[in-house]
Amino acid sequence: MAVVLSNARLTVYVLTHPWERDANGVPVPPNPNTRPAPIGTWPGAVLEQPEGSWTMRLDPAAWPVEPGDTVTDDTGRTWTLTSARKHTVPGCPAVDYVQATATLNPPEVP
């Protein structure tokens, strides 16, 4: 078993879900230049993966989060979530967390 320790204070911005749909029924995301109000700041973990994506561990209080939501850290970096899943342990809520993958905005250029 591996333990991922907190290495950042993460602020979560959740978009309105589900997104509105256009005349053809296609989901239309909100304006990317308008950030929603933050829902909270919690300790969390952010790790860059070898292929350039990022994995995150968020406090379960941030749930529900979905692809398209954004996260910032205390250094000013911003990520857009590409997936999120809540992990719970029955009878032991102290170890619950939200596992997420994200892309850095703007992406790092090698």
Side-chain angles (χ1 to χ4, degrees):
M1 174 181 205
V3 175
V4 178
L5 299 175
S6 172
N7 64 3
R9 293 203 39 86
L10 301 174
T11 302
V12 180
Y13 299 86
V14 175
L15 298 169
T16 301
H17 294 285
W19 293 345
E20 293 182 19
R21 295 184 177 268
D22 67 12
N24 297 317
V26 177
V28 178
N31 182 344
N33 297 322
T34 304
R35 180 185 288 179
I39 61 166
T41 301
W42 302 278
V46 181
L47 300 168
E48 185 173 14
Q49 301 303 303
E51 81 284 353
S53 69
W54 293 76
T55 58
M56 299 184 156
R57 300 295 184 267
L58 304 172
D59 189 285
W63 188 256
V65 290
E66 296 190 32
D69 295 340
T70 57
V71 177
T72 62
D73 70 2
D74 42 6
T75 66
R77 295 181 295 181
T78 301
W79 295 266
T80 299
L81 298 182
T82 55
S83 70
R85 181 176 154 203
K86 186 175 182 183
H87 292 269
T88 58
V89 177
C92 191
V95 296
D96 293 352
Y97 67 97
V98 175
Q99 173 186 343
T101 57
T103 56
L104 185 65
N105 301 324
E108 294 176 339
V109 177

